[in-house]
Every structure is written in C-alpha cells, then in structure tokens.
Amino acid sequence: VKIMPTLEGGLRVDAEDDSDWQLLMGIARDAVSSGEKLADRLGNLITDEDIAPDWREYIVPDLDEAFQSDLSKVSSVIAAARMEAAGGPGPLWITRDEALPWYSSLNQARLAIEDCFHFGPGERIDPTSLPPASRSAFLRSQFYCAIQSLLLDHVMR
Amino acid sequence: MKVFGYDEKKSSILMMQVHRQGRSIVWTGQREKAEFYTQQLQSHQLKTTLEKAG
C-alpha cells in the first residue's frame, strides 16, 4: 500500500494487489473483533450506579449507532474502490469530508485489537517475539495508527 | 482540545499523563456538566469515566 497527501487536502491510498485490499477491509473486521461492542465497553466504564442505568439506556445506543455509521461509510468506500479496481492495483481516496469516519473506524479497529491482545504502548513491543496471530494483529494495528497519523498531519489539521 | 477548549500545551500534558500513568483527571466540577463531558469524550472513543470527588 502506498499513501500520499492530495492537493485537495485528502489522502490517496494506492492498493497494489488484492492482499492490499484485504488489508484495508480488515479495518471493519478488526473493529468488530472484540467480543463486546466499543460502545458497550465504554459504557461499562460508568460504574456509578446513580448514572449507569440511564447511560446504558440512552448514551450507549447513540454511541453505537455513530460508531457503526462510521464503519459502514468506510467499508462502502473500500468495497467500491476495490470493485472499481477489480481487486487489482487501484486508488482509494480519503477526502477531507470523510476524514472523521476514517479516523473513527481506524480507532475502533485499534481499540478492538488492544482489547483482544493487550499490547500496551507499541514502542515496547518486539513483533518478532510474538506468535503469528498476535504479530499480524500488532502489525495491522501499527498500520492503522500510521494512517491515523497521516490523517492528523495532512487532513484534519 | 475540542471538548474542553484546552490549549495544545495543557492537552499534551494530559495526554502524556494517560500515556505514562494510564489515566488522567481532565476536568473537575458539577455532576451534570461532568456527564456531558464524559459523553463527549466517549463519542471521541476515549476511555472515560466520572467519579465523585473525594
């Protein structure tokens, strides 16, 4: 995958083959890979029993709907670009307007990976010491983090 | 920065507290406002809770 800023203030992501498209489609897969939805995991942090029931009833569903909507937008963009490229080399555009759902989706994917694997701060991890499934998840998480950094530096400033 | 209007310096200090210590107290005040801020922070996918001040 090659990623570069565009003159319009977005990012251009160039997939080189179908494995790159699979990697990009992994964002949505990873985002739902934790046993519990992100909105529920966040809701569980509210432990004050005066607040928790209302939080679960009103806030959690709203958050879940927003997070799902972001994932759905990003999944559609990736699926359409992949179809356009017939699974081969081709571009995918992240426009300035779409930056927030992309950032959200990448974050959801990273949080779900962290929830499953508990890597902690990335700079302390030696990926060569990890078993294959963990190594793959760690590297995907680092890839998502790199796109988030590009979004922050070039698109969401 | 977006939720509280903190400047970059204060935001960076809070961020580094979270990074090093795992948590940071980002705001103290009335409960209703705390609930609002917590909702805002959670909508940005930040692991946030609220507690009664000692």
Side-chain angles (χ1 to χ4, degrees):
Chain A
V1 178
K2 291 178 186 161
I3 305 174
M4 64 203 87
T6 67
L7 292 173
E8 292 77 27
L11 292 179
R12 172 184 171 136
V13 181
D14 276 308
E16 295 176 30
D17 52 35
D18 202 48
S19 65
D20 283 350
W21 291 113
Q22 293 295 334
L23 180 63
L24 291 165
M25 290 191 299
I27 298 168
R29 275 197 302 272
D30 280 324
V32 297
S33 63
S34 173
E36 200 171 24
K37 291 177 174 181
L38 174 58
D40 288 320
R41 300 203 304 276
L42 291 170
N44 291 342
L45 297 172
I46 307 298
T47 52
D48 184 333
E49 274 310 310
D50 290 342
I51 304 168
D54 282 351
W55 203 273
R56 281 193 290 271
E57 185 170 356
Y58 299 110
I59 307 296
V60 169
D62 275 359
L63 291 178
D64 187 47
E65 190 179 335
F67 298 160
Q68 294 295 328
S69 168
D70 291 338
L71 271 183
S72 174
K73 280 177 200 158
V74 167
S75 296
S76 299
V77 169
I78 295 169
R82 180 179 180 235
M83 189 176 284
E84 182 76 20
L92 178 158
W93 308 89
I94 303 176
T95 64
R96 207 175 261 273
D97 290 344
E98 293 166 339
L100 278 175
W102 271 91
Y103 192 90
S104 160
S105 298
L106 292 160
N107 215 50
Q108 290 182 60
R110 287 201 310 118
L111 288 172
I113 287 174
E114 183 57 31
D115 195 53
C116 293
F117 293 94
H118 309 289
F119 292 127
E123 64 264 28
R124 295 182 198 154
I125 304 284
D126 171 14
T128 60
S129 68
L130 298 171
S134 299
R135 187 188 313 145
S136 170
F138 176 76
L139 294 174
R140 290 197 308 280
S141 180
Q142 295 291 98
F143 173 63
Y144 302 153
C145 185
I147 304 178
Q148 285 186 292
S149 296
L150 289 168
L151 284 169
L152 286 174
D153 289 342
H154 298 288
V155 187
M156 300 167 74
R157 296 199 302 176
Chain B
M1 283 170 76
K2 269 186 185 172
V3 174
F4 297 110
Y6 293 159
D7 60 26
E8 190 166 349
K9 187 180 173 192
K10 178 158 187 179
S11 302
S12 297
I13 290 169
L14 296 173
M15 179 188 72
M16 290 313 294
Q17 276 181 350
V18 173
H19 186 68
R20 292 190 177 124
Q21 299 164 29
R23 61 183 290 170
S24 172
I25 297 171
V26 296
W27 189 83
T28 306
Q30 287 184 332
R31 177 172 143 174
E32 288 75 14
K33 216 164 181 182
E35 289 178 20
F36 171 75
Y37 284 143
T38 302
Q39 181 188 355
Q40 291 289 301
L41 291 168
Q42 288 201 351
S43 76
H44 286 85
Q45 300 172 11
L46 293 166
K47 293 180 180 176
T48 316
T49 189
L50 66 168
E51 294 173 3
K52 289 188 179 98

